[in-house]
């Protein structure tokens, strides 16, 4: 494993982050394919053994059970200070707005619940999961800053936003002396590259860490045709994101397979090596220990400039999908 500093922070993280959306009670959330605690433990323990020290979860994942599993399992195997934990909070609900609960109160309540779920006193990275159009930005930034001052958060990140929103938030933070967002968790992979238009150039200019989710497009960039998995079959949300462009994306997936075969490495290694070459710290989920091996090997996989151009050349613009298409003002 290789390690690097996470943007403008002093956090040293593995160049692969283990995404924990696949862990949690399958009866308590959006996804039916998640692993129970025993199987989650096998994956997390193996990831630790392979040098992964960066873990990403969210209060929204399976009604908080992902956080609960992660916290309990890590406590068995490693000291708190040796891992970097990220979790995420959701916007205020309509009910909270009607009751007059402020953005600051909402953040404190959600953070306290996440800390309770994790069994931890602080999180290293607290992420604004999606833009809240119904809450003043000042309220969000001051609320997060207050939690940093309280010692419950080390740094803050943001997910599912436009570049102008990240720029506006950090400009406001600078004006008022609040903490700035040090990372962006956006939808980015070889078959969805819309982040390259504005977000990635902005983040590189400002040294904001790029930590993409859906790094393997829900398995589409890691499995040969005919291979399947429970997630590929049951993940309706991933189907919503990728099915409409399946034919358009096929050429790129074919090229991933071609390069993987030529170099005698896995599709996972090719797809993640491309992201790492772009300066990213990919967030990658796993439901089998063998998938961890592919993640770890990708850190040392080498793609030539010609191979990178070959992978990128067929890409055509995509419409926004997922959270970015649904969470609009």
């Amino acid at each position: 494993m290789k390690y690097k500093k996470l943007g403008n922070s002093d956090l040293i993280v593995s160049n692969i982050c283990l995404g924990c959306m696949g862990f949690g009670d399958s009866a308590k959330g959006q996804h039916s394919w998640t692993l129970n605690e025993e199987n989650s433990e096998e994956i997390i323990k193996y990831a630790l053994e392979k040098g992964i020290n960066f873990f990403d979860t969210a209060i929204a994942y399976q009604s908080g059970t992902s956080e609960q599993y992660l916290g309990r399992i890590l406590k068995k195997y490693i000291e708190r200070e040796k891992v970097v934990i990220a979790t995420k909070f959701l916007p205020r609900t309509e009910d909270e707005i009607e009751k007059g609960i402020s953005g600051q109160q909402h953040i404190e309540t959600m953070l306290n619940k996440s800390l309770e779920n994790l069994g931890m006193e602080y999180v290293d990275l607290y992420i604004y999961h999606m833009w809240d159009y119904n809450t003043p930005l000042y309220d969000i930034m001051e609320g997060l800053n207050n939690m940093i001052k309280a010692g419950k958060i080390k740094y803050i990140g943001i997910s599912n936003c436009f570049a102008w929103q990240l720029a506006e938030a950090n400009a406001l933070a600078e004006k008022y002396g609040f903490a700035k967002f040090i990372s962006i968790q956006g939808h980015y992979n070889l078959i969805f590259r819309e982040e390259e238009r504005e977000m990635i150039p902005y983040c590189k200019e400002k040294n904001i860490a790029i930590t993409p989710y859906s790094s393997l497009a829900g398995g589409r960039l890691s499995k040969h045709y005919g291979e399947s998995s429970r997630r590929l079959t049951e993940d309706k949300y991933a189907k919503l994101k990728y099915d409409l462009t399946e034919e358009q994306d096929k050429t790129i997936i074919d090229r991933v397979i071609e390069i993987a075969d030529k170099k005698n490495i896995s599709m996972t290694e090719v797809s993640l090596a491309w992201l790492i070459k772009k300066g990213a710290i990919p967030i990658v989920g796993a439901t089998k220990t063998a998938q961890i091996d592919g993640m770890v090997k990708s850190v040392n996989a080498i793609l030539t400039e010609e191979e990178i151009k070959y992978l990128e050349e067929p890409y055509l613009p995509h419409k926004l999908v997922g959270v970015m298409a649904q969470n609009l003002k």
Side-chain angles (χ1 to χ4, degrees):
M1 181 50 64
K2 293 180 180 178
Y3 301 85
K4 65 189 294 186
K5 189 175 283 191
L6 188 70
N8 295 306
S9 80
D10 63 0
L11 300 173
I12 304 299
V13 298
S14 48
N15 216 141
I16 296 289
C17 174
L18 184 64
C20 300
M21 188 177 75
F23 308 142
D25 188 335
S26 61
K28 291 186 176 179
Q30 180 181 6
H31 302 298
S32 62
W33 47 269
T34 54
L35 300 183
N36 62 26
E37 190 161 354
E38 181 181 355
N39 291 329
S40 299
E41 181 170 345
E42 180 185 12
I43 302 294
I44 292 168
K45 180 175 180 287
Y46 193 71
L48 288 169
E49 290 170 358
K50 292 296 180 178
I52 293 173
N53 74 340
F54 189 15
F55 298 84
D56 175 86
T57 184
I59 197 168
Y61 295 165
Q62 303 306 105
S63 302
T65 58
S66 171
E67 290 179 324
Q68 292 166 13
Y69 288 9
L70 179 65
R72 286 196 291 262
I73 293 164
L74 288 176
K75 193 171 184 179
K76 284 186 182 181
Y77 296 106
I78 197 163
E79 296 171 24
R80 172 65 185 90
E81 294 73 23
K82 292 184 178 179
V83 287
V84 174
I85 306 301
T87 194
K88 300 182 277 293
F89 69 97
L90 294 166
R92 285 191 301 168
T93 63
E94 289 184 10
D95 186 55
E96 286 176 309
I97 292 169
E98 287 176 8
K99 289 178 178 177
I101 294 171
S102 71
Q104 295 192 36
Q105 291 171 317
H106 168 76
I107 286 169
E108 184 169 10
T109 299
M110 292 211 90
L111 176 59
N112 286 342
K113 183 60 180 175
S114 285
L115 291 174
E116 178 188 330
N117 286 341
L118 288 161
M120 296 176 182
E121 294 182 355
Y122 69 93
V123 290
D124 301 280
L125 184 64
Y126 199 45
I127 299 169
Y128 189 14
H129 205 155
M130 63 186 76
W131 197 261
D132 185 347
Y133 290 95
N134 298 306
T135 301
L137 181 57
Y138 183 95
D139 240 17
I140 298 290
M141 302 308 290
E142 185 176 35
L144 290 169
N145 197 66
N146 286 342
M147 293 300 94
I148 290 175
K149 290 194 290 186
K152 295 181 180 181
I153 305 170
K154 284 190 175 182
Y155 296 96
I156 57 173
I158 191 166
S159 181
N160 295 306
C161 72
F162 295 99
W164 71 262
Q165 292 171 326
L166 174 52
E168 183 178 6
N170 277 357
L172 184 148
E174 185 167 346
K175 179 178 179 180
Y176 292 102
F178 299 152
K180 296 179 182 180
F181 291 121
I182 63 135
S183 67
I184 172 65
Q185 187 176 135
H187 179 197
Y188 184 42
N189 57 50
L190 264 170
I191 59 173
F192 192 88
R193 291 168 49 201
E194 300 309 298
E195 292 281 86
E196 292 179 2
R197 300 184 187 282
E198 294 187 5
M199 181 63 81
I200 289 175
Y202 173 74
C203 289
K204 287 186 175 180
E205 176 70 22
K206 300 295 183 181
N207 194 34
I208 295 169
I210 299 163
T211 60
Y213 69 83
S214 204
S215 298
L216 296 172
R220 287 154 184 80
L221 287 165
S222 62
K223 288 182 170 56
H224 288 78
Y225 299 117
E227 288 185 79
S228 190
S229 68
R230 189 175 175 192
R231 180 177 183 181
L232 270 177
T233 305
E234 298 183 18
D235 192 340
K236 295 177 182 177
Y237 199 67
K239 289 175 182 291
L240 179 71
K241 290 193 291 186
Y242 297 112
D243 277 7
L244 289 176
T245 55
E246 186 174 4
E247 282 303 310
Q248 179 178 328
D249 299 334
K250 185 178 181 298
T251 304
I252 298 168
I253 295 169
D254 286 343
R255 293 188 181 196
V256 171
I257 294 170
E258 182 184 340
I259 290 174
D261 289 346
K262 182 183 76 173
K263 300 175 85 71
N264 196 30
I265 60 177
S266 67
M267 291 174 66
T268 294
E269 289 168 72
V270 173
S271 301
L272 296 182
W274 177 83
L275 277 170
I276 292 168
K277 183 74 173 178
K278 295 291 177 181
I281 301 169
I283 298 171
V284 195
T287 55
K288 299 173 183 175
T289 54
Q291 293 168 340
I292 301 287
D293 291 328
M295 296 177 201
V296 173
K297 288 176 182 176
S298 72
V299 173
N300 295 299
I302 297 172
L303 298 177
T304 66
E305 290 301 321
E306 290 73 20
E307 288 167 340
I308 289 169
K309 289 176 183 176
Y310 187 62
L311 288 168
E312 293 179 353
E313 185 268 333
Y315 185 78
L316 296 171
H318 283 51
K319 291 181 179 179
L320 290 181
V321 293
V323 175
M324 291 297 290
Q326 296 163 340
N327 185 43
L328 298 172
K329 191 171 183 179

